[in-house]
Amino acid sequence: MPLPGPAFFDDDHEAFRTAVRAFTEAEIAPHLDRWDADRQVDPNLWARAAGQGLIGLSGPAEHGGAEAGDYRFRCVVMEELARVGAAAVNAGVALLDDLVGPYLFDLSTPEQAARWLPGLLSGRTTAAIAMTEPAAGSDLRGIRTTLHPGPDADGLLLSGTKTFITNAPHADLVVVFARDGDAFSLAVVEAGLPGFDRGRPLDTLGQRAEAVGELFFDAVPVPTANLLGVRGRGLAHLMERLPTERLSIAYYALAAAEQALVWTLDHVRSRTAFGTPVAQFQNTKFVLADLSTRIDVTRAYLERCVLALNASALTPVEAAKAKWWATELLQEVTSRCLQLFGGYGYIREYPIARLFVDARVHTIYGGTTEIMKEIVGRDLVGRP
């Protein structure tokens, strides 16, 4: 258990947790296997979650958001989703609140906000953000998707391919990162535009209900009214918001690691081998002690990062540290905890097995561990 100190969560957060837990137990946990089989979370879930105030926490109140301004409420949601092993659902919530949302909430003009945010914040509109391409993942400067001048002065044409995009098979709105002359811009593409097509859902290893796919843009007409933020500052807009995305991935990794330890403690206390509870073997105690310590130390750093984010003071380097450390920790925790389950850990009806495959992507998306270390190392080497 963490050392006593100032509580990270207060009474308001815990009251919110009660509502989130009731919702996850009733509306999410019973359906996870079916959603995995369907390769998609029930689309109606998002409207129900919005009705309970579980999504759109940072969205503007005038368009249906909670405008909470305190990322600890998002942390509560992540902890409760991790508690039931709902990694794919968390990916959908994070997409709205931590990936797409910050761009649309911060950069939309009043006219754009009125068009897009009510549907998004009510759960009726599904959104995606398209950055990664077949030949450009963590190296965003290497993208080839391009905005070209259109046939009239008020329009552009978008051409290119994006891949590994969450919600690609059914997104109504897609924020696309594209090359724009010598710079980069963000364009919002709406479903139904000519030349906008979708590939088949990709057969992912884990988080199978996340609905990941490809997007194709063949001279898609994009009116200048659909450009997001300042034209030519797309890369800067990304860099400003990536710390939130990376902290989101890191915090869910921490919450999932904590839950894996809970499941494992329950198992080794009840499972016997050679007439002795597995928990009583020295190896078991040493593994659990090691993992528990690593988790507690990681929580101390991530809580500091969350409070820095609340104060608009979280730096890209701090977020990179949090992201690579917490996600690599999750790999270690899931692997070593699964080992303590023995053969039961290899059976998918045990949540540790689902988490083992769901966890693998965390060191990859949002920037690989190697890219995160490059960010940190470049900062260190560049210091006076």
Side-chain angles (χ1 to χ4, degrees):
M1 296 295 292
L3 293 172
F8 182 62
F9 297 114
D10 62 24
D11 291 345
D12 290 340
H13 301 116
E14 295 304 336
F16 180 62
R17 184 187 303 278
T18 299
V20 176
R21 181 167 296 185
F23 185 85
T24 58
E25 290 179 347
E27 302 282 353
I28 295 175
H31 310 295
L32 293 175
D33 290 337
R34 176 168 58 84
W35 293 343
D36 271 359
D38 293 345
R39 307 300 301 278
Q40 180 181 351
V41 174
D42 179 3
N44 296 316
L45 175 71
W46 309 117
R48 297 198 296 272
Q52 295 296 313
L54 273 61
I55 63 174
L57 293 173
S58 60
E62 64 182 305
H63 295 299
E67 207 164 333
D70 182 351
Y71 198 74
R72 288 175 293 179
F73 287 103
R74 274 286 295 122
C75 295
V76 169
V77 174
M78 286 188 274
E79 289 182 3
E80 292 305 309
L81 290 173
R83 195 177 66 83
V84 298
V89 177
N90 176 71
V93 175
L95 187 67
L96 170 59
D97 277 294
D98 304 324
L99 278 74
V100 179
Y103 295 91
L104 295 175
F105 302 157
D106 299 345
L107 302 176
S108 292
T109 65
E111 293 76 16
Q112 290 172 333
R115 285 170 57 198
W116 297 325
L117 296 191
L120 193 68
L121 291 168
S122 66
R124 300 191 311 272
T125 298
T126 301
I129 186 162
M131 293 187 277
T132 302
E133 298 184 3
S138 297
D139 178 17
L140 292 175
R141 294 178 186 273
I143 66 164
R144 298 177 181 175
T145 298
T146 305
L147 286 164
H148 301 281
D152 57 74
D154 191 42
L156 299 165
L157 298 176
L158 179 70
S159 296
T161 301
K162 298 291 185 177
T163 193
F164 307 141
I165 308 303
T166 299
N167 280 351
H170 48 261
D172 303 302
L173 294 175
V174 183
V175 177
V176 181
F177 180 63
R179 189 172 293 278
D180 187 2
D182 294 330
F184 301 91
S185 294
L186 297 172
V188 178
V189 175
E190 298 173 84
L193 287 175
F196 175 32
D197 201 4
R198 311 162 196 266
R200 61 179 177 80
L202 299 175
D203 189 11
T204 57
L205 172 68
Q207 298 189 182
R208 295 180 66 80
E210 189 180 344
V212 176
E214 298 173 305
L215 298 173
F216 305 104
F217 308 98
D218 183 8
V220 177
V222 178
T224 54
N226 277 35
L227 293 178
L228 194 60
V230 178
R231 185 173 181 181
R233 285 188 51 80
L235 188 61
H237 291 324
L238 256 63
M239 294 302 106
E240 292 162 358
R241 286 156 188 83
L242 281 173
T244 300
E245 175 185 351
R246 287 167 178 165
L247 181 59
S248 170
I249 297 169
Y251 198 92
Y252 186 81
L254 169 66
E258 289 177 333
Q259 188 58 45
L261 187 60
V262 170
W263 292 330
T264 305
L265 283 166
D266 289 343
H267 180 78
V268 299
R269 286 167 177 159
S270 61
R271 180 74 176 164
T272 61
F274 307 106
T276 302
V278 173
Q280 295 304 315
F281 292 118
Q282 185 183 65
N283 177 72
T284 302
K285 288 184 282 189
F286 279 16
V287 169
L288 295 173
D290 181 64
L291 297 181
S292 176
T293 303
R294 291 171 184 265
I295 287 170
D296 284 352
V297 172
T298 302
R299 170 164 284 281
Y301 182 68
L302 262 61
E303 287 183 356
R304 193 178 86 179
C305 287
V306 169
L307 297 178
L309 181 67
N310 281 352
S312 301
L314 180 67
T315 69
V317 172
E318 290 168 337
K321 290 179 179 179
K323 200 271 180 184
W324 86 255
W325 179 266
T327 59
E328 291 291 346
L329 173 71
L330 179 60
Q331 309 309 306
E332 181 177 8
V333 170
T334 54
S335 180
R336 296 177 74 184
C337 284
L338 186 148
Q339 185 72 18
L340 290 176
F341 272 79
Y344 293 97
Y346 202 63
I347 307 302
R348 281 189 61 87
E349 69 182 69
Y350 283 77
I352 192 67
R354 183 199 300 272
L355 178 57
F356 182 79
V357 291
D358 286 349
R360 189 61 189 87
V361 73
H362 285 72
T363 61
I364 300 171
Y365 64 8
T368 64
T369 291
E370 293 74 19
I371 293 297
M372 297 302 98
K373 289 182 177 180
E374 175 67 19
I375 292 169
V376 177
R378 189 185 305 150
D379 177 71
L380 292 170
V381 172
R383 290 179 185 174

